[in-house]
Amino acid sequence: MKILIVEDEIHLADSMVRYLSNESYRCEVAYNYAEAIDKISYHTYDCILLDIMLPDGSGMQLLQELKKEPRDEGIIIISAKDALDDRIEGLHIGADDYLTKPFHLPELAARIFSIIRRKQFQNTNIVHQDGLHIDLLAKTVRYNDTPITLTKKEFDLLLFFFGNKHKVISKNTLAEHLSGDFADMLDNYDFVYAHVKNLKKKLAEAGTPSFLKTIYGSGYKWEA
């Protein structure tokens, strides 16, 4: 799962990156309004953590820009301002949650998980499909009674495909999801092929139906 942290306090941003990375989130940081606009223009995220007070613009204005587009990432406002008017304005514009500084990082992670679970997985901790069981909290997978051991990237890919059922996911999108800002620097998509191949192999060895289809010339699609 990919997170964008829009936060100008470098120490706080670094702390969030370290903690959330240990929780298996892939994090990118924008330290000001201009960087945030650039990132959301070219990339998609599962959740955006948005500070209201940025050195070169307003987080509320950035939130308004986000809501002009048909995007579906979760948005949590993080702010030192605990004003009721700001909470109401942010939620009315379209934020999913509001967290006041200082906050505990485990609470932040819990709120991120809750929003992603609600938006992508029908507000449940365990998702099922034809014998395949994915535990979002424990980060475990099994098919009927057979456990499937996945690496962090393979588990992340599985959730990405599962959360985007019936959509054709391009190799470029997968490269961006797995590598973030570094995707543009890659010469080829060999690492994407390798991770998808390994995921498909492990699912097949467990006896699952062919959920993950290769769409030649386009990418991949997860089918029910």
Side-chain angles (χ1 to χ4, degrees), residues 50 52 60 63 75-79 86 90-91 95 97-99:
L50 178 59
I52 287 181
M60 290 296 188
L63 178 58
I75 300 174
I76 301 177
I77 292 175
I78 50 175
S79 176
D86 286 328
L91 294 173
D97 203 350
Y98 191 111
L99 192 58

Side-chain angles (χ1 to χ4, degrees), residues 93-107:
I93 293 173
D96 297 284
D97 203 350
Y98 191 111
L99 192 58
T100 303
K101 300 176 185 177
F103 50 80
H104 296 290
L105 291 171
E107 179 183 4

